[in-house]
Amino acid sequence: MAAGGWIYFLTGFLSLASAVDHMLYSDHQEEADTYHVSAGHLFLLSCQHADAHSQIMWTKGDSGNESLPTGVEVRDGLLWFLPMQVTHNGSYICEKRNETRPSKRRFRVLVSRGPCPDPNEEVSVTKEVSEGLRCKQDEIFRLNLTRKIQWMKDCQPVQLDEESIDLNIDGIMRLPAVSEADAGKYTCLIDITVDGRKYTAARSIQLTVKNDSPPVSPELHVMTPQNDVVIVEVGKRAELQCLAYTGFSEDEEILMFWTINGTYSSDYSELKDSWKFIHDRGKVYGQSNLSIAIVRNEFLNVPINCHITSPVEEKLGKAWLQEADHNAFYMIVALCLSSLITLLLLTAFFFICKVDLFLGYRTLKASFSKQQVPDGKLYDAYVSISQSAMVRLDGAAWFALRFLPEELEQKHGYSLYIRGRDDCPGEAVHDVMSAAVRQCRRLLIILSSHGKSKETVQFWENQNQLTYEQKVGLHDALMQNDPKVILVEVDGPVDYNQLPESLRYIKRKQGALEWKNSFVETNNVTQMYLKRNFWKNLRCHMPAVPARRLQSFA
């Protein structure tokens, strides 16, 4: 009795397990798909709607309890018949397990011995309507292997005529205007090499022709893309959109899909496409979006086609992905930086060499300009120096009587009137000074840092002799800007607080040149540079020497 009880218990438990298994799979086991295949042909079965996270298991038999026969193997979730044999006839079950619930799908494979298998489906076409027959061997096309496609009608090769039949790379054969003679069994043969061995895959379709009035379908028209070039960056996201005119109503037989260099977008895990109908002002458009999660190098510079098909025709739009050219950006940045650096260098060069540039320009202008109209002036500059400096023969006197004539008169051809050198004793001092100042183009006043109190006394207490020319020159300079005044400080700064307001004004307005007797007979590079700049700046303040005087001087 105890043994019998255990037997009844085990029998009930197994029945319960079978019932649970039936409940789990009954709702998710679809009706069997039937495929007609010829013996000796390559055939691939796909467990549809399987993703990368699903576990696929294939079994043979209606109950799924038989192992796969010899010559049948599983590769990447596909069931491969290498090649099909008569013994492979029967049912096959694909069991898919994922994170949700398991599901089963049953397939029936019927093997025939003829070269052209029986039709898997029947397509009915209205007479005089263009029709396209699809090869419907997507698993073979996704292999991306070299293949040769040939269509047979009633197991006889179809003679391809460019005007009547179009065979594209996806194996779609187009019949421009179907007639009753086009009815029959059409077989799509694909010759392909796998693992170094040549195989043939075949699929048949039965075409029937109806005499009904042909439906009026508007012509499809792809709006975008039209050989569009999209700039992308490798490793980043990109989005493509396709828009096509489909007519005035939604047609459920219209289909949109994408291919990249002849490969379906569904073969790439990085790609996701979707499409829908949209309505705009009474017209209907098909809109398809292709999302590229990560742009790979193999997506660049290859045709990306958006296909839209209907029972009548197929149209496609083409787009290209090109990597963003950062070289142009870098070149623009480099040019901008180069221009900025060049501008800074030119600015620095101008400020450093502006005196030389000005002197060179003035020399060229004097050489090539026409003869100037005389201005009635006899001297280029009136050199004014204090009487005390002349008596002591200090640095200011040496500068006025020796260094100034050597540089300006002997080297550059200037004509100078030097107080204490060019005036004659016994002359009417005031008249001579006034006439001499008004006959000079510049008034060069030399100020010394030595004996500041004496110079101040000379400016204020002995104006009749010592500062008369300065008074005349400063008055004309301030009132008429003629002659122009040049201030030169010798051997150090001058205390302008003890000098007349007119000199302080000129100092504030245009500054003063500084001369040091240490410039003379020195080998110090800095001192030589300062000496050179002093003479150049002094020449800039001096008037231009006429070309005829330069030539005669030379």
Side-chain angles (χ1 to χ4, degrees):
M1 291 293 293
W6 278 106
I7 292 174
Y8 282 118
F9 175 76
L10 290 175
T11 302
F13 180 78
L14 292 175
S15 300
L16 179 61
S18 176
V20 171
D21 181 74
H22 178 74
M23 291 175 61
L24 286 173
Y25 291 108
S26 59
D27 293 338
H28 300 280
Q29 182 171 342
E30 302 177 9
E31 186 177 350
D33 294 335
T34 302
Y35 293 93
H36 296 271
V37 189
S38 294
H41 285 177
L42 172 69
F43 183 63
L44 273 66
L45 264 181
S46 173
C47 190
Q48 301 176 359
H49 309 298
D51 51 37
H53 302 288
S54 301
Q55 296 181 356
I56 305 298
M57 185 176 65
W58 288 91
T59 55
K60 188 177 185 300
D62 292 332
S63 58
N65 54 2
E66 300 179 25
S67 60
L68 297 177
T70 303
V72 181
E73 58 184 77
V74 179
R75 296 184 182 181
D76 297 329
L78 299 178
L79 192 63
W80 290 62
F81 294 84
L82 298 166
M84 181 66 70
Q85 303 175 17
V86 176
T87 56
H88 295 161
N89 190 85
S91 298
Y92 294 85
I93 295 178
C94 169
E95 182 178 353
K96 180 180 68 173
R97 296 180 179 272
N98 52 26
E99 297 178 354
T100 57
R101 287 187 294 179
S103 62
K104 288 184 178 181
R105 187 177 182 89
R106 186 159 57 92
F107 302 90
R108 184 176 302 277
V109 178
L110 302 179
V111 184
S112 59
R113 297 182 180 273
C116 298
D118 294 334
N120 286 314
E121 63 176 314
E122 180 178 349
V123 176
S124 181
V125 185
T126 302
K127 186 178 178 180
E128 298 181 356
V129 172
S130 176
E131 178 62 26
L133 298 180
R134 300 178 62 87
C135 197
K136 291 195 174 181
Q137 299 193 62
D138 295 342
E139 292 78 9
I140 300 294
F141 285 109
R142 292 193 184 103
L143 296 178
N144 289 328
L145 299 176
T146 303
R147 54 186 180 266
K148 179 182 178 183
I149 304 172
Q150 183 182 14
W151 279 89
M152 311 280 285
K153 179 187 176 185
D154 297 330
C155 231
Q156 297 296 324
V158 176
Q159 300 299 326
L160 297 179
D161 186 350
E162 294 183 358
E163 296 182 356
S164 59
I165 299 177
D166 174 29
L167 181 64
N168 64 16
I169 60 173
D170 294 329
I172 299 178
M173 184 177 65
R174 295 213 163 273
L175 304 174
V178 177
S179 63
E180 294 180 354
D182 293 325
K185 182 176 75 172
Y186 288 84
T187 304
C188 175
L189 299 178
I190 303 177
D191 294 330
I192 191 172
T193 301
V194 179
D195 299 334
R197 182 178 176 182
K198 295 183 178 180
Y199 293 95
T200 299
R203 188 81 176 267
S204 295
I205 300 173
Q206 185 67 41
L207 179 67
T208 60
V209 179
K210 300 183 296 183
N211 290 323
D212 298 342
S213 299
V216 178
S217 299
E219 182 180 1
L220 300 178
H221 178 65
V222 177
M223 313 296 291
T224 58
Q226 294 287 350
N227 276 323
D228 295 350
V229 176
V230 181
I231 305 300
V232 296
E233 293 190 14
V234 176
K236 293 189 177 181
R237 183 180 180 85
E239 187 98 8
L240 297 179
Q241 186 178 86
C242 179
L243 183 66
Y245 170 73
T246 61
F248 299 96
S249 61
E250 297 183 6
D251 188 347
E252 60 182 11
E253 294 185 328
I254 289 178
L255 177 66
M256 296 185 73
F257 60 94
W258 293 80
T259 59
I260 298 183
N261 201 21
T263 303
Y264 292 100
S265 60
S266 57
D267 293 345
Y268 297 96
S269 59
E270 300 91 344
L271 306 183
K272 183 179 180 181
D273 66 291
S274 61
W275 78 278
K276 62 181 180 179
F277 287 110
I278 59 175
H279 296 258
D280 183 26
R281 299 178 182 179
K283 297 180 180 180
V284 179
Y285 299 86
Q287 178 179 294
S288 179
N289 294 324
L290 178 65
S291 298
I292 307 176
I294 300 177
V295 176
R296 295 172 8 194
N297 286 318
E298 62 184 285
F299 298 158
L300 303 176
N301 303 314
V302 296
I304 301 179
N305 295 328
C306 167
H307 301 256
I308 178 168
T309 63
S310 71
V312 178
E313 60 180 339
E314 178 182 9
K315 293 292 181 67
L316 59 88
K318 184 175 294 184
W320 306 79
L321 298 184
Q322 286 188 2
E323 188 174 6
D325 186 8
H326 296 292
N327 293 329
F329 172 75
Y330 296 146
M331 182 172 293
I332 293 175
V333 173
L335 288 176
C336 292
L337 291 177
S338 301
S339 302
L340 179 60
I341 293 174
T342 303
L343 181 61
L344 292 176
L345 291 176
L346 290 175
T347 304
F349 174 78
F350 174 76
F351 279 105
I352 294 174
C353 304
K354 63 180 179 179
V355 175
D356 299 89
L357 294 174
F358 175 76
L359 293 176
Y361 164 75
R362 197 167 66 177
T363 302
L364 291 175
K365 182 180 179 181
S367 301
F368 292 100
S369 62
K370 298 180 180 180
Q371 184 175 359
Q372 298 179 355
V373 178
D375 57 0
K377 304 288 186 178
L378 297 179
Y379 304 99
D380 293 310
Y382 185 104
V383 181
S384 175
I385 185 172
S386 66
Q387 185 68 23
S388 62
M390 296 294 290
V391 172
R392 293 194 312 269
L393 288 179
D394 59 5
W398 278 103
F399 172 77
L401 297 175
R402 177 185 174 185
F403 304 129
L404 201 60
E406 287 180 357
E407 184 70 23
L408 296 184
E409 290 183 335
Q410 298 177 20
K411 291 184 179 180
H412 300 287
Y414 282 102
S415 176
L416 303 179
Y417 185 98
I418 301 177
R419 177 76 169 91
R421 185 195 72 168
D422 298 323
D423 50 352
C424 298
E427 292 179 325
V429 177
H430 290 183
D431 296 338
V432 171
M433 289 182 181
S434 177
V437 170
R438 289 186 169 90
Q439 290 177 353
C440 295
R441 298 178 181 88
R442 298 290 186 271
L443 175 60
L444 201 156
I445 300 177
I446 301 174
L447 304 174
S448 175
S449 61
H450 300 293
K452 298 177 184 177
S453 60
K454 294 181 180 180
E455 286 192 1
T456 306
V457 171
Q458 291 163 1
F459 271 110
W460 292 100
E461 296 180 359
N462 198 8
Q463 298 181 20
N464 292 332
Q465 282 190 335
L466 300 179
T467 63
Y468 181 76
E469 73 272 19
Q470 296 173 349
K471 288 183 59 179
V472 173
L474 290 174
H475 177 271
D476 292 344
L478 295 175
M479 299 302 294
Q480 304 173 13
N481 196 27
D482 183 28
K484 294 183 178 179
V485 180
I486 304 174
L487 298 181
V488 177
E489 300 175 0
V490 178
D491 283 338
V494 175
D495 187 4
Y496 285 89
N497 292 326
Q498 302 182 31
L499 299 181
E501 175 62 29
S502 56
L503 285 179
R504 293 201 300 269
Y505 172 76
I506 293 176
K507 167 67 174 178
R508 290 194 303 269
K509 182 180 179 182
Q510 64 185 45
L513 301 178
E514 296 181 3
W515 168 266
K516 295 182 180 180
N517 285 306
S518 60
F519 292 165
V520 182
E521 297 180 358
T522 179
N523 294 325
N524 185 279
V525 177
T526 303
Q527 295 292 324
M528 295 177 63
Y529 174 77
L530 294 175
K531 174 184 176 182
R532 177 174 174 269
N533 282 349
F534 170 82
W535 290 120
K536 287 183 179 180
N537 286 308
L538 181 57
R539 287 169 56 201
C540 282
H541 287 81
M542 292 290 290
V545 179
R548 62 182 184 276
R549 196 192 304 173
L550 286 175
Q551 294 173 357
S552 62
F553 177 77

